[in-house]
Amino acid sequence: MTQTTHIQTMPPGDGAKPRSPEYRVAVDSLRGLRQDLFHDAFAYRPLPRRNPDGRIIRRLPGRLREYAIWTPHALIALVALITLLISGVDNDGQALLVVPLTVIPVLLTMIRPVGAFWASMVSTPLAAVLGSNWGEWPWAAGSFACHLTVLTVVAMRTRPRTAGWMWALTALYALIADAGIGPTYEYGGTNSGPMLVFSAVILLCVTVWHIRSAAAREVTAQQTVTAHERSRRTLLEERTTIARELHDVVAHHMSVVAIQAEAAPYRVENPPPELEKAFATIRENAVAALTELRRVLGVVRAEDYEVPDAPQPTLADLDGLLANVRDAGLSVDKVAIGAVRELPQGVELSAYRIVQEALSNTLRHAPGATARVEIGYVLGGLGLRIVNGPPPNPSLVKPSPGAGHGITGMRERVTMLNGEMTAGRTDDGGYEVTVFLPVALPDEGDA
């Protein structure tokens, strides 16, 4: 048996020493600097207008709201005018040259923010060399105001990391200028310290504002997702409840069909074999359908769910429901319109549950109010109208974390029966729920 030893050689490129964490941090930092301040530095990025549906702007009159959306542009133009006045007063003979150097970067922040920063950095030494009565280096009076404004606006329009790079480059320029490059001896002193302190405070505030805004957006998005999931879960729970109830209703009717089909041949003397065979077939199909129904719909039952001993409620049991509601303190009247007749049990059950939920919402959201239940038996369906007045004492109304879930359940029941429903506040401050549940007309031969 021969043993072969394989000597694995590493490619030349793989033999390099791994980079240290400090080196990777430095490389990532330089890459971030290039991406934030060099890549597409003069890209066209116009300053957006304010949202007309904002919390403050939407309260203004219509004409004033049209002007309010331009508030950011107006503020920048105002600061540019102030910078112009400062530069004009600070320079005697060179004002026509210095003023554009300090005003253009401020105005440039509205269309090319990163380019405005570089324009301010370039114009600062030019304005100082052309002359200033302020007596300090390296920022003349107009350049001082211009650069602070540019830093603030650009930091607000970009991300916090960009603000850090701008402050670092400003500090680097101040360090080089104070190191003896430039006519420092002609001025009374340096104003690099105030510039760095003021700009650091401003950029810190802007960064905090960015972080808070991002956190608020994330919270809003999370609340939206949570509300959607809560609504979806409520809808599924309501569907499960409806499926349980209908399972009991349908199972009861299928059981009756099976029993009557089995007993029918014994009620007729000497029934023909064809009739016996037909009833046997009906019973077999009913039992098979009942078995399949229990198998399919049985999955919607919770482990702790028990089949109710009493039959499911119908509109005939509505008086008992109204009596319980009156005992709870709600004054409610009932009006029936049309010829009262027996409807399909699924329709009666859904109508009962809709009235029950509407009155429960009245007790919860309008304590002490009066309510009215109208039931209309019309051709082709059943109409319901549950309306309540405003609460006599609104201070007693407490916020409910489940607000809106009852409406979702009612809509699901109405949709299941191909009905129509509207719900909303009335003119007097109350609430109204209107429902129509279609019912197929009986054939003339069945009448």
Side-chain angles (χ1 to χ4, degrees), residues 320-332 363:
L321 172 64
L322 299 182
N324 292 334
V325 173
R326 292 188 185 102
D327 293 339
L330 178 64
S331 177
V332 57
L363 286 172

Side-chain angles (χ1 to χ4, degrees), residues 149-340:
T149 303
V150 169
L151 288 178
T152 304
V153 176
V154 176
M156 294 180 67
R157 297 199 58 194
T158 55
R159 48 186 170 181
R161 187 179 68 180
T162 306
W165 283 120
M166 290 190 301
W167 188 88
L169 292 177
T170 301
L172 178 62
Y173 168 75
L175 181 63
I176 295 175
D178 291 341
I181 301 177
T184 312
Y185 58 87
E186 297 179 1
Y187 294 83
T190 177
N191 55 5
S192 298
M195 168 59 73
L196 296 180
V197 172
F198 289 154
S199 60
V201 172
I202 292 174
L203 295 180
L204 179 61
C205 294
V206 173
T207 301
V208 172
W209 172 77
H210 270 297
I211 295 174
R212 288 179 58 88
S213 299
R217 288 193 298 269
E218 184 176 355
V219 169
T220 302
Q222 187 63 37
Q223 289 176 345
T224 303
V225 173
T226 302
H228 177 73
E229 291 297 329
R230 187 186 298 116
S231 177
R232 183 173 177 270
R233 185 174 63 251
T234 303
L235 183 62
L236 293 177
E237 292 174 354
E238 189 62 30
R239 288 181 177 179
T240 301
T241 302
I242 296 173
R244 291 171 181 169
E245 295 173 348
L246 291 183
H247 173 267
D248 299 328
V249 171
V250 176
H252 168 73
H253 287 297
M254 294 299 294
S255 299
V256 172
V257 170
I259 293 174
Q260 289 184 348
E262 184 177 9
Y266 300 99
R267 297 183 180 182
V268 180
E269 293 184 3
N270 301 321
E274 294 82 1
L275 183 62
E276 292 184 352
K277 183 178 180 181
F279 278 118
T281 302
I282 293 174
R283 181 183 181 281
E284 291 175 359
N285 289 333
V287 172
L290 182 61
T291 303
E292 186 67 16
L293 178 68
R294 286 173 174 170
R295 184 184 69 82
V296 175
L297 294 183
V299 298
V300 302
R301 298 186 186 276
E303 295 180 359
D304 57 348
Y305 177 76
E306 297 180 359
V307 178
D309 297 332
Q312 296 289 353
T314 62
L315 290 177
D317 304 312
L318 201 57
D319 291 334
L321 172 64
L322 299 182
N324 292 334
V325 173
R326 292 188 185 102
D327 293 339
L330 178 64
S331 177
V332 57
D333 296 328
K334 172 191 169 186
V335 176
I337 304 173
V340 178

Side-chain angles (χ1 to χ4, degrees), residues 410-443:
M410 286 189 281
R411 290 191 187 279
E412 185 64 20
R413 290 181 180 273
V414 173
T415 302
M416 177 192 64
L417 297 174
N418 297 322
E420 299 178 358
M421 171 181 166
T422 59
R425 294 198 173 276
T426 58
D427 295 336
D428 61 352
Y431 204 84
E432 178 180 356
V433 176
T434 305
V435 174
F436 177 76
L437 301 177
V439 177
L441 293 175
D443 297 334

Side-chain angles (χ1 to χ4, degrees), residues 29 50 53 55 66 91 105 113 148 203 231 238 266 278 390 393:
S29 300
R50 294 290 300 275
D53 297 329
R55 183 173 54 183
E66 296 178 4
N91 292 271
L148 284 180
L203 295 180
S231 177
E238 189 62 30
Y266 300 99
N393 190 356

Side-chain angles (χ1 to χ4, degrees), residues 61-131:
R63 189 66 177 175
L64 189 58
R65 192 183 301 117
E66 296 178 4
Y67 295 111
I69 61 177
W70 298 98
T71 302
H73 304 77
L75 291 176
I76 294 177
L78 178 61
V79 175
L81 178 60
I82 296 174
T83 305
L84 183 148
L85 296 176
I86 294 175
S87 299
V89 172
D90 186 47
N91 292 271
D92 294 332
Q94 306 292 335
L96 294 178
L97 297 176
V98 175
V99 166
L101 294 175
T102 57
V103 174
I104 291 177
V106 177
L107 297 177
L108 200 60
T109 58
M110 290 190 288
I111 54 176
R112 306 182 191 276
V114 179
F117 168 74
W118 289 113
S120 178
M121 291 293 293
V122 173
S123 65
T124 295
L126 296 178
V129 171
L130 289 175

